[in-house]
Structures are given as C-alpha cells and as structure tokens.
Amino acid sequence: MINQIETFLIRQFEDDSHRLKHIYGVRSVAVELAQIHHANVYEVEVASLLHDVMKNASYEAQLDMIKDPVVIDYFKDVPVAYHAAAGYYYAKDNLGITNPTILEAIFYHMWGKIDMSLETMIVCVSDFCEPNRIYPKAKEIYKLAKVDIELAFIEAIGSTIDYLRKHGVEPFKDQLKIYEYYTKKKGLV
Ligand SMILES: [Fe+2]
Ligand SMILES: [Fe+2]
C-alpha cells in the first residue's frame, strides 16, 4: 500500500517537487513521532503521505471531490481547508481507504478536532514542523513534539492563530475552539 501511494504521489506531483518534499518531510517526522508516542505507525504514515493529495487541485476540483454541501458550506469562510476535506474524499472514494483513523487524520490535518486521535494530532504537528518548514517556531515545536505531543500541538495551533491575527485574519471558529479545548485540558488556562 505504502509503495503504491508513493508511486502515485511521484506522478501526481511530478511538476511540484517542493510539495513532494514537504509530504515526505511530514511522513518522516510523523513516523518518528508515532514510534516515540506509541501511535499506529502505518496509519500515521498513510495519512501523512495523503494529507495534501488535493492541495494543488483547483477549488472547483476540490469541491467536485467533496460533493457534500454540508462540508462545502462548513468551510466556506476558510476555502484553504477544502484541500483537506477533498483529500479525505479522494482517499476514501478514489483509493478505497476505509480506515477511520487514516481518514480522520487527512480530513483534520489543518487544525485537528476536539477529541482527535493521537494519529491525527501527530499528522497536524508534523505538517507544522517538518524539516522543510522555515519559520523559526518549526524547530522548537519539533523538539517539543518528541517530548510532549499535546503541548506541541497547542503551541503549533497557538502560533498559527497569532500569525493570522497579526495579519488581520480572524482564525476559523473551530480552530479557536479546538485550541481552547486543548489548553484547558492541559491545565494551561
Ligand atoms: Fe494541507
Ligand atoms: Fe501539508
């Protein structure tokens, strides 16, 4: 399965080596974190390889893949999230993936969800801190993730929220809710 996905990705991203490098970067960090935190390595590996599978598709193609009007409406204020939902449907409908943990991790790789699986959290954090990410926080979050994955997740989402606000963009409502949920759960507020 992994070999087939890799072959498919190489073809899919033959004109975008940057994206392919990012995907492989997420996979390598995610597998390392899964081993450290005793998550399911196979699920994490498949989800991280497929998390951005629809990233380069047009919005029209992403919406076509999603089809479900409820999902389309839900993300209408954050169209950047359509690639994650479209990736979920691509994995499910085109690649025949039925494993709910893999599908959850693809769908929610942008900012996770309340009560997400450990595998989803690992994919989210790895997407933020894989070695090709050049922002300064990435290295710090990678180090933290090896020790405390939940704290690394909180830091990653918190820094994204700060970045958006600094640039005059109001974060997505669920991004804030999820951040609050995990900061409270961790006893930080
Ligand atoms: Fe993504
Ligand atoms: Fe990504």
Side-chain angles (χ1 to χ4, degrees), residues 19 22 51-52 55 80 83-84 109-110 127 133:
R19 178 63 47 190
H22 162 68
H51 81 284
D52 274 347
K55 183 77 180 182
V80 67
H83 80 277
H109 80 260
M110 300 275 299
D127 193 20
R133 296 296 203 195

Side-chain angles (χ1 to χ4, degrees), residues 5 11 32 57 72 80 82 112 123 141 152 180:
I5 293 173
R11 219 176 308 134
E32 184 188 12
I72 291 172
V80 67
Y82 281 140
V123 173
I141 284 173
E180 275 167 28

Side-chain angles (χ1 to χ4, degrees), residues 22-39:
H22 162 68
I23 290 168
Y24 286 162
V26 175
R27 186 257 297 265
S28 93
V29 172
V31 166
E32 184 188 12
L33 294 177
Q35 284 162 344
I36 293 171
H37 299 293
H38 309 291

Side-chain angles (χ1 to χ4, degrees), residues 2 5 21 24 34 44 75 122 134 151 158 166:
I2 301 279
I5 293 173
K21 253 173 103 178
Y24 286 162
V44 159
F75 288 123
I122 286 173
I134 48 163
L151 198 53
K166 223 180 268 171

